[in-house]
Amino acid sequence: MSTTFDPEELQGLDLPVPTIRPRRLRANATMRRMTAEHRVSVDDLIEPLFVVPGTNVRQEIGSMPGVHQLSVDRAVEEAKDAQALGIPAVILFGIPPEKDETASWLARADGPVQRAIEAIKSAVPNLLVIADLCACEYTSHGHCGLLDVDGGIDNDRSVELLARGALSYAQSGVDIVAPSDMMDGRVRAIRYALDADGRTDVAIMSYAVKYASAFYGPFREAAGSTPAFGDRRTHQMDPPNAREAVKEALLDVREGADFIMVKPALAYLDVLAKVRKAVPVPVAVYNVSGEYSMVKAASARGWLDEERAVDEMLVSFKRAGADCIVTYFARATARRLAKARR
Ligand code: PBG
């Protein structure tokens, strides 16, 4: 039997002749620009900053080339730079001078995050300041809440601690608090605590959908928050579950979340799309440390083209429905977008 292709045979197929040729819309860069269904804008980007005690500290994080731990004074500089590039918001993480069992530094007015909020809001008032809210950077055991007698996490006492932390950030002038601990009922408690103190303008960006992920590895080096024992699987979500993500998101919207966050990003684009359909609030996605570091590591070896990989990754978040993108590539991307416009 001959396997030679005979073009005549095409005529016999019951298929339309290609009068519709999708390639026409891909023919050149201008056509592609005009027909792009999604694009990343600087308005979508949120830049993470890691704040440490001291002054004039700018210490690169080994596993995250180009990302630094910053003292408050240097964090202000980076915030100014972000604002100059048109980035609307930064999200702050704090590494306290001391960690203990009860996360004492979490709700202190002189904590690194509280001081950074004040300093950034006074230097760049129009830049939105978001504060990540979790106990894991503040506890000696590295867990996201307070421990009970059996070494498990005491959900309800942890929620009280988070509400106190949220209040303390609000009193320092934060625009948005972002609880990332995954305790049950914390959005409701935080909303209640903020409102009781007259802080009705402070918004809540809830990490409603946060998976127990290997992709947080480099962050835990940055924040010194690797659990001393055990893991986070009893509170962070199990990777096989997507229906449960919708449940978490809807619950947090009911409790008063103004934004819903999905995290990580790349391995959870299906979840992002589902959550986007289910909730009537803006959805943020967190392009996490491991996703940053793997692109950085591969491109440092010449195995990936960094800029193209980043652009492709970020636009996939828009395609899946993200309204805002937290990414360590925020400033690099903002710079590139500004150049492309010129
Ligand atoms: C918890 C928190 C984590 C991240 C953001 N908030 C770490 C964790 O849950 O272990 C991860 C961010 C990243 O990996 O970039 N405070």
Side-chain angles (χ1 to χ4, degrees), residues 48 50 64 91 93 132-138 142 144 178-182 207 210-220 222-223 225-227 232 235-236 261 263-264 286-292 326 328:
F50 293 99
M64 300 179 73
I91 181 164
F93 296 91
D132 182 90
L133 176 62
C134 186
C136 70
E137 297 99 332
Y138 296 87
C144 304
S180 62
D181 54 288
M182 290 296 281
Y207 291 69
K210 179 175 178 182
Y211 286 89
S213 172
F215 290 98
Y216 308 147
F219 173 95
R220 293 183 186 169
S225 62
T226 307
R232 307 214 199 292
H235 48 288
Q236 298 181 346
M261 178 107 81
K263 178 184 167 191
Y286 201 134
N287 181 206
V288 299
S289 56
E291 298 168 344
Y292 174 83
V326 182
Y328 303 98

Side-chain angles (χ1 to χ4, degrees), residues 25-56:
L25 301 188
R26 305 172 197 141
N28 59 63
T30 313
M31 187 69 93
R32 290 193 294 273
R33 175 159 66 93
M34 192 171 77
T35 58
E37 294 176 37
H38 298 281
R39 48 174 58 86
V40 174
S41 148
V42 67
D43 302 326
D44 304 324
L45 303 176
I46 300 173
E47 157 116 11
L49 298 176
F50 293 99
V51 187
V52 294
T55 49
N56 202 24

Side-chain angles (χ1 to χ4, degrees), residues 41-45 80-89 127 334 341:
S41 148
V42 67
D43 302 326
D44 304 324
L45 303 176
K80 283 182 183 159
D81 188 39
Q83 150 101 347
L85 287 164
I87 291 173
L127 182 72
R341 268 200 306 275

Side-chain angles (χ1 to χ4, degrees), residues 90-112:
V90 292
I91 181 164
L92 304 180
F93 296 91
I95 295 101
E98 277 155 32
K99 300 178 188 243
D100 59 25
E101 286 272 303
T102 56
S104 316
W105 274 90
L106 178 64
R108 279 177 64 150
D110 56 347

